[in-house]
Each structure stands twice: as structure tokens, then as C-alpha cells.
């Protein structure tokens, strides 16, 4: 109906109201859903929303509304019915935008007059503060109307307070959604009804689709593992990830069988039957879903052989980075790792930035050195025994081994980490080479990555010891440029790409062919957070003050194949990983995981 609403969260509401001739677009075929609505535009809609509303007072005259003005009749109409009026100086200010609070007041007033809606029914004197984190900003004149809107479910009461932004100008799309809720017009996005989402329930078809995309690829370069960040639609979101991860998450339907996030060093029970839907070639997996419950992070863990130690290839490379950041902050809590640089011990040069080196490990761009050489260099900051012990102390898994290297010599054999701002050396190399095995579980990687990404949501007992948020940001941004883009592909395949808002994708992949086991193995560890339009009550439009539902999950998978043909095995596990991640995202978005 309108050319610019296809990918807008309120599109169905806009169409529903336009079909009922309640709202109009512009002559050029647009609706401009993100445009701020003026007081005159809002007034012009009210006669169509409350067409039978009787007059309550005489017509007011406003010094800035002439009879020839396009909305003069509508302004007179809302004034005569007491929906909203002018200002003490006799003006109406028709071109001024209308705020969210003012819009709610007008709509509640219309319902009170037309349907006998009483004032607030709530028995809770704290309803506003329990619902809105900025309740103190709601003007006194609007507080009873906003409370009434919550009572009547025009605005939703969620499990955690959210901002209402009462004095923020309301958009045309938000007005459409609010009117749909007031008039109880069913019009809302149902994620599981999207055609691509429904089609993705055929998991074998999805896998075959991905396998076909592997044509022309081989073990040296794969379709999804090596897709790269350069053309990712979420490339610009990488820098915003740390800020987005600091916002609490919630779900419209509370997660079942949740528990508080486990204390650092405690192994948490994982539901080992929770990932039975994955293909048998997915040897092991661990998924952790999170939500906020009573202001605290609550999680649910699902697994398949989640505590079995395996060679997880390069997906473990973020562990020494995490250790370095935490130990640097233990020495200097105020030190921001974004200012930290790595150089040869005893050198007087500036060296290279921690963030640039960490990003090089994830992106495999080889601009400075290979990913392997950089990763083993960061292992040099701690002895093999102490790094292994530290990892065990964080996850609680005393069986893991983490003393190996990554097949190459360190980029810098004796590195030191120093603060370019304070000129202070934060860490020096331990002076011991790493030899041995890197054998960790999917639970270990999921636990460590979630401790990093959810740092701001976790209680102190669940955090990486000594890690400071201002330093965690640097590693989070580095992990956003991982060359593997399985989540990107999942969003596209499920038809969610136009709807996803505020995405966070941080991850680390690993790939190799084990001669010992005679098979190709692929691992992928990721923390994903995204928002989708919230489905309203009984299929109604989403509440415009809580229009998006945020989902947050962390997972690790390892898949393998042993046909004897390295290239065929590589293509198979790459397609299988893409299909597996797609299915996990689908189930998370439809709340069936």
C-alpha cells in the first residue's frame, strides 16, 4: 500500500488503519513511518478514531490556526471534545510535534468519553515505576492516563522496567501501532508466520540449500566459514556491540526451567537432551539462553555431550586474549585495553595495539601476522600450567587441558603489554613455551564467551575475575570481525534480515582435519543478541513503547565428517554448521528452543 513500510515493524498496523481510512499517506505513495507526527496531524486522525464522540465544550479559537489552515476543522473538533487543546498564550502550535505522553492522554480521553473507560483501575501505587525506568519523567498531567493505558493493556507491563520516553516526539508508525491497540485491531508480525521462517522448519531442505552454495569451494576456502566481515550487513554494528550488551534482556514469555547464572568456578547442570534436534554429525554442543528476571540475569542451558573435552581448534583463541585482559586489569583496574599495546620486551617502540592484534586473530587478514602466530604470542604472557589452571577456575571444569599452541612460533617470542597513556608496563611474558594439548568442551567455550559478552549483566560472582567493562569492550569488538558469518546467513535464510534490530554477533570459529581421527572438524562459538518486532496481545500490534523484543543466546557447536575426501568433508561440515546455527536461531526467535 505504501512504498516505505515493507520492513517497518508497524507495517501491518499502518495497512490495517489505511484500509479502514483512519490514516493516510502522502501523494508520492509513502507513509513515512519514522517521521515525527505533528499536533495538527494527530488532530486530523482523531475524528476518524472516535467518529461518534459528542461535543463537550464550545469551539476554541487559536491565534496560530487560521480557518484556511488544512487542519483547522480537525483542531476545532479535538478541542470541542476535550481531547487536547492549546497553550495558555492562546496558541495551538499545530506544527509542533506531539509527545508520547500527550498522544496517550488524548487517546485515553477519547475512550473515556466514547466507551466509558474509567480512570486507572490499578491497585498498585508503584505501577508506573515498576513498568517504566523513566517514570519520573512522565508529566503530572499524564500520569493517570498512562496508568489507565497500562491497566487497559494499551501499553504492556513487562517483566523488567523499560524506558517510556514520555516527552519524546511520537512517530507516525508508533501512532498507528497505538491506535491499533486502542481499537483492538489485530495486526502484528508473527515471526513464525514469515514464509522463510516456516519453510526453514524443513531442516534437510535448508541443509541441502547450503550444501548447494558450497559449489566451487574447497577446504582452503569455504562458503560460510570464510565469508568474511567485509560484506556483512552487520559490519557497522560491530562498534555498537559493547553498548548493546549492557542493556538487560527480557522475553514476553518467561523462559522455563531457568536458574541464576552459575557462580564462577562452578560447573552448571546442562540439559543433555536439549539439542537432540541437531544432526548426529554435530558431535557436541552447548546453548545458553538468557533473559532478565527481577532485574537479574536468568539462564537456561541445553547441551549434547557438552562437557566432553575435544580439540576445538582455533575457536579457543579468545581464551588467552581474555586471560591477558583480566590479568592486565588485575594489575591496573583503571587501564583501558584499548590504550594497551604489545611490543618486544625491552623495546622502546610503540608496538601494536591490543585491539588490532586481537582483530587480526579473528579476521585472518594476515596484515600483521598469521592468526596462529598472534594467538600463541598472547599465550606467552602466562605459563601453560597457570593458563590452564585459570581456565579451569573460570569454568569449573577441572578436566580440561589448555597447554597447547597453534602450530606456529609466536609473532613476538617475549612480548610485553604496556599502557600507551600511562607508559606503564601491564604484563610481561612468562618466558615459557607452550606444549601439550588444547582439549576443552563446548560448555567451557560457551561459559567463557557468555562471561565476556554478558559481563555487565552478571553478578560479581559470575564474572571473569578482575575483568573491567571498559576493557571487555575491546575484545568484544575484535570478536565481531570473525571471518565466519553463520549468524548472518541464518538471519537471511529465515527472512529476518529486514526485521532484525540492534544485532550483536561476536564469535570465533575453528577448522581442521585431524589425521589422528581421520576426519574434518569444524567448531563455532558465538554470542548473539538481536531484537525483533514484538507480537502484541492476542495478535495485536506491538506496544509502540516496547516495540522490540530482545533475544540473547550463547552457543558452541562442533561438527565432523569422515568420508576420506578432505574437500567434500569441508563443504559438508560448513553447510551443516550453517544449517545448525540457522535452526538454533529459528527456535530462539519462535521461543521453541
Amino acid at each position: 500500500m505504501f512504498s516505505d513500510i515493507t520492513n517497518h515493524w508497524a507495517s501491518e498496523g499502518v495497512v490495517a488503519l489505511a484500509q479502514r481510512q483512519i490514516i493516510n499517506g502522502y501523494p508520492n505513495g509513502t507513509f513515512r513511518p519514522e517521521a515525527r507526527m505533528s499536533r495538527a496531524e494527530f488532530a486530523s486522525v482523531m475524528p476518524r478514531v472516535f467518529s461518534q464522540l459528542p461535543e463537550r465544550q464550545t469551539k476554541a479559537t487559536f491565534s496560530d490556526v487560521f480557518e484556511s489552515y488544512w487542519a483547522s476543522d480537525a483542531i476545532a473538533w479535538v478541542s470541542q471534545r476535550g481531547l487536547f487543546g492549546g497553550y495558555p498564550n492562546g496558541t495551538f502550535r499545530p506544527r509542533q510535534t506531539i509527545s508520547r505522553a500527550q498522544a496517550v492522554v488524548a487517546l485515553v480521553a477519547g475512550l473515556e468519553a466514547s466507551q466509558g473507560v474509567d480512570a486507572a483501575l490499578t491497585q498498585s501505587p508503584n505501577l508506573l515505576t515498576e513498568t517504566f525506568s523513566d517514570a519520573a519523567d512522565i508529566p503530572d498531567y499524564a500520569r493517570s492516563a498512562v496508568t489507565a493505558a497500562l491497566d487497559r493493556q494499551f501499553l504492556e507491563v513487562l517483566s523488567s522496567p523499560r524506558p517510556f520516553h514520555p516527552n519524546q516526539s511520537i512517530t507516525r508508525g508508533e501512532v498507528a501501532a497505538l491506535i491499533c491497540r486502542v481499537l483492538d485491531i489485530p495486526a502484528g508480525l508473527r515471526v513464525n508466520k514469515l514464509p522463510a521462517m516456516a519453510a526453514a522448519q524443513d531442516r534437510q531442505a535448508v541443509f541441502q540449500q547450503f550444501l548447494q552454495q558450497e559449489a566451487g569451494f574447497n577446504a582452503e576456502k569455504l562458503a560460510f566459514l570464510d565469508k568474511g566481515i567485509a560484506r556483512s550487513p552487520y559490519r557497522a554494528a560491530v562498534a555498537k556491540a559493547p553498548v548493546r550488551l549492557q542493556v538487560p534482556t527480557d522475553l514476553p514469555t518467561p523462559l522455563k526451567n531457568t536458574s541464576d547464572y552459575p557462580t564462577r568456578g562452578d560447573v552448571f547442570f546442562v540439559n543433555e537432551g536439549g539439542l537432540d534436534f541437531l544432526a548426529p554429525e554435530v558431535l557436541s554442543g552447548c546453548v545458553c539462553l538468557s533473559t532478565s528476571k527481577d532485574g537479574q540475569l536468568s539462564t537456561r542451558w541445553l547441551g549434547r555431550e557438552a562437557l566432553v573435552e575435544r580439540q576445538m581448534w582455533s575457536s579457543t583463541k579468545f581464551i588467552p586474549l581474555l586471560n591477558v585482559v583480566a590479568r592486565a586489569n588485575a594489575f591496573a583496574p583503571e587501564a583501558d585495553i584499548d590504550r594497551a599495546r604489545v611490543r618486544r620486551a625491552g623495546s622502546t617502540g610503540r608496538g601494536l595495539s591490543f585491539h588490532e592484534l586481537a582483530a587480526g586473530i579473528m579476521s585472518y587478514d594476515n596484515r600483521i601476522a598469521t592468526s596462529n602466530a598472534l594467538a600463541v604470542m598472547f599465550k606467552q604472557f602466562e605459563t601453560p600450567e597457570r593458563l590452564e589452571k585459570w581456565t579451569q577456575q573460570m569454568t569449573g571444569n577441572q578436566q580440561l587441558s589448555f597447554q597447547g599452541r597453534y602450530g606456529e612460533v609466536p609473532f613476538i617470542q617475549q612480548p610485553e603489554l604496556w599502557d600507551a597513556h600511562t607508559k606503564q608496563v601491564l604484563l610481561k611474558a612468562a618466558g615459557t613455551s607452550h606444549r601439550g594439548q588444547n582439549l576443552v568442551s563446548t560448555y567451557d567455550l560457551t561459559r567463557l564467551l557468555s562471561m565476556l559478552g554478558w559481563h555487565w549483566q552478571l553478578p560479581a560472582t559470575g564474572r571473569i575475575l578482575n575483568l573491567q567493562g571498559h576493557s571487555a569492550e575491546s575484545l568484544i569488538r575484535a570478536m565481531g570481525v570473525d571471518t565466519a558469518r553463520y549468524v548472518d546467513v541464518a538471519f537471511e535464510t529465515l527472512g529476518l534480515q529486514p526485521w532484525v534490530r540492534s544485532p550483536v554477533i561476536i564469535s570465533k570459529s575453528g577448522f581442521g582435519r585431524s589425521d589422528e581421527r581421520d576426519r574434518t572438524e569444524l567448531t563455532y562459538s558465538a554470542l548473539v543478541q538481536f531484537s525483533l518486532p514484538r507480537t502484541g496481545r492476542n495478535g495485536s500490534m506491538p506496544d509502540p513503547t516496547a516495540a522490540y523484543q530482545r533475544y540473547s543466546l550463547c552457543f558452541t557447536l562442533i561438527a565432523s565428517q569422515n568420508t576420506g575426501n578432505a574437500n567434500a568433508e569441508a563443504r559438508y561440515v560448513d553447510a551443516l554448521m550453517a544449517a545448525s546455527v540457522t535452526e538454533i536461531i529459528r527456535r530462539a526467535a519462535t521461543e521453541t528452543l
Side-chain angles (χ1 to χ4, degrees):
M1 184 171 292
F2 301 111
S3 62
D4 58 347
I5 66 171
T6 303
N7 296 329
H8 193 270
W9 63 268
S11 60
E12 294 191 25
V14 172
V15 171
L17 294 180
Q19 290 173 337
R20 291 165 172 79
Q21 299 184 335
I22 294 175
I23 58 174
N24 299 310
Y26 293 91
N28 65 354
T30 63
F31 181 77
R32 303 177 195 170
E34 290 299 313
R36 307 298 177 179
M37 182 168 269
S38 70
R39 287 167 54 81
E41 288 177 318
F42 191 82
S44 70
V45 174
M46 291 299 97
R48 297 189 289 273
V49 176
F50 304 114
S51 59
Q52 304 301 315
L53 202 62
E55 294 183 9
R56 298 176 58 187
Q57 55 195 40
T58 58
K59 176 181 177 180
T61 301
F62 302 107
S63 60
D64 56 350
V65 179
F66 302 102
E67 288 191 10
S68 59
Y69 185 62
W70 71 270
S72 60
D73 289 343
I75 292 171
W77 191 93
V78 297
S79 173
Q80 289 174 303
R81 286 151 182 83
L83 299 188
F84 63 106
Y87 292 86
N89 64 356
T91 63
F92 185 79
R93 305 178 191 174
R95 294 180 180 83
Q96 180 175 297
T97 58
I98 188 168
S99 71
R100 283 182 163 194
Q102 291 170 335
V104 169
V105 168
L107 289 167
V108 169
L111 282 172
E112 287 178 349
S114 64
Q115 298 179 11
V117 174
D118 296 328
L121 303 175
T122 183
Q123 300 299 311
S124 172
N126 301 318
L127 183 61
L128 290 181
T129 56
E130 292 169 354
T131 305
F132 299 119
S133 57
D134 56 357
D137 297 336
I138 300 175
D140 290 341
Y141 72 82
R143 297 183 76 83
S144 62
V146 175
T147 304
L150 290 168
D151 275 331
R152 300 292 177 175
Q153 297 184 344
F154 307 151
L155 305 177
E156 292 184 62
V157 178
L158 302 180
S159 59
S160 300
R162 68 182 186 277
F164 177 42
H165 302 302
N167 301 308
Q168 178 177 296
S169 300
I170 197 167
T171 67
R172 288 169 55 82
E174 289 173 336
V175 168
L178 193 56
I179 291 173
C180 280
R181 293 182 69 87
V182 167
L183 300 182
D184 202 19
I185 295 174
L189 171 70
R190 295 167 180 80
V191 170
N192 59 349
K193 297 298 183 182
L194 289 174
M197 184 72 79
Q201 294 183 64
D202 186 344
R203 300 201 297 275
Q204 184 59 31
V206 171
F207 169 70
Q208 290 298 329
Q209 171 189 335
F210 289 143
L211 195 56
Q212 290 173 10
Q213 295 181 50
E214 297 286 352
F217 291 92
N218 56 39
E220 295 299 317
K221 184 174 183 180
L222 292 166
F224 311 116
L225 177 67
D226 302 300
K227 196 173 181 68
I229 187 67
R231 296 184 179 180
S232 170
Y234 310 107
R235 182 180 181 181
V238 172
K240 302 174 184 177
V243 174
R244 290 171 174 171
L245 286 168
Q246 296 177 44
V247 179
T249 60
D250 53 44
L251 288 173
T253 305
L255 291 172
K256 297 179 180 178
N257 303 319
T258 60
S259 300
D260 292 340
Y261 192 89
T263 299
R264 179 179 56 252
D266 287 350
V267 175
F268 189 72
F269 171 77
V270 176
N271 176 6
E272 286 291 355
L275 300 181
D276 286 347
F277 59 87
L278 295 175
E281 293 91 346
V282 178
L283 303 179
S284 176
C286 183
V287 177
C288 181
L289 302 168
S290 82
T291 186
S292 291
K293 187 176 183 181
D294 299 326
Q296 293 187 344
L297 191 76
S298 182
T299 56
R300 181 152 59 87
W301 297 75
L302 309 171
R304 169 186 287 176
E305 296 193 1
L307 285 168
V308 175
E309 291 77 28
R310 301 178 188 275
Q311 182 181 5
M312 304 295 281
W313 303 94
S314 292
S315 59
T316 65
K317 287 177 179 176
F318 74 92
I319 299 177
L321 292 169
L322 192 54
N323 173 265
V324 165
V325 175
R327 291 179 58 230
N329 280 159
F331 176 77
E334 74 286 352
D336 187 340
I337 296 300
D338 269 333
R339 300 194 309 244
R341 304 182 72 84
V342 179
R343 65 187 181 187
R344 194 177 309 279
S347 169
T348 58
R350 285 184 54 80
L352 297 162
S353 76
F354 170 89
H355 176 77
E356 186 178 13
L357 293 166
I361 292 174
M362 310 300 162
S363 67
Y364 291 84
D365 61 14
N366 294 332
R367 287 192 307 108
I368 300 171
T370 66
S371 175
N372 288 345
L374 294 175
V376 75
M377 177 190 71
F378 279 103
K379 273 201 165 191
Q380 295 298 101
F381 282 103
E382 187 58 288
T383 67
E385 296 79 13
R386 288 201 296 260
L387 180 56
E388 179 181 88
K389 187 63 177 178
W390 178 87
T391 307
Q392 293 171 346
Q393 290 172 339
M394 293 303 106
T395 72
N397 180 10
Q398 303 300 316
Q399 306 305 313
L400 66 81
S401 303
F402 198 58
Q403 298 192 24
R405 56 197 298 164
Y406 296 105
E408 294 186 28
V409 297
F411 172 58
I412 300 175
Q413 186 69 43
Q414 294 292 322
E416 68 178 19
L417 183 74
W418 69 291
D419 190 324
H421 178 70
T422 64
K423 312 302 182 185
Q424 183 180 36
V425 174
L426 303 175
L427 283 180
K428 291 185 177 181
T432 306
S433 296
H434 288 248
R435 293 285 189 274
Q437 293 288 325
N438 288 334
L439 298 175
V440 299
S441 69
T442 54
Y443 171 81
D444 293 319
L445 293 186
T446 302
R447 181 74 181 274
L448 288 167
L449 186 54
S450 65
M451 292 170 85
L452 170 64
W454 294 334
H455 170 84
W456 294 272
Q457 311 301 327
L458 295 177
T461 56
R463 292 179 178 176
I464 296 289
L465 191 63
N466 299 314
L467 179 67
Q468 301 296 312
H470 54 253
S471 292
E473 292 179 356
S474 186
L475 181 51
I476 286 170
R477 294 196 311 275
M479 295 190 71
V481 300
D482 181 19
T483 184
R485 308 309 305 176
Y486 296 110
V487 177
D488 297 20
V489 173
F491 285 155
E492 180 181 5
T493 303
L494 296 170
L496 295 177
Q497 190 167 300
W499 304 97
V500 165
R501 295 294 183 272
S502 304
V504 173
I505 306 169
I506 62 173
S507 62
K508 186 67 190 80
S509 55
F511 173 77
R513 194 172 197 285
S514 170
D515 293 333
E516 179 183 347
R517 293 179 293 279
D518 191 27
R519 67 188 184 194
T520 297
E521 297 171 344
L522 173 63
T523 66
Y524 183 64
S525 188
L527 187 146
V528 184
Q529 185 169 288
F530 58 98
S531 297
L532 294 173
R534 185 190 301 275
T535 299
R537 71 191 197 287
N538 300 322
S540 68
M541 272 304 295
D543 173 357
T545 71
Y548 284 93
Q549 168 59 49
R550 187 180 292 109
Y551 302 88
S552 193
L553 64 155
C554 189
F555 59 89
T556 304
L557 304 175
I558 177 168
S560 76
Q561 176 71 315
N562 55 346
T563 63
N565 182 318
N567 288 325
E569 290 174 354
R571 289 188 290 266
Y572 187 95
V573 294
D574 192 38
L576 180 61
M577 186 62 72
S580 301
V581 172
T582 298
E583 179 62 9
I584 288 172
I585 298 295
R586 186 189 73 81
R587 290 182 179 234
T590 57
E591 297 168 34
T592 57
L593 187 60

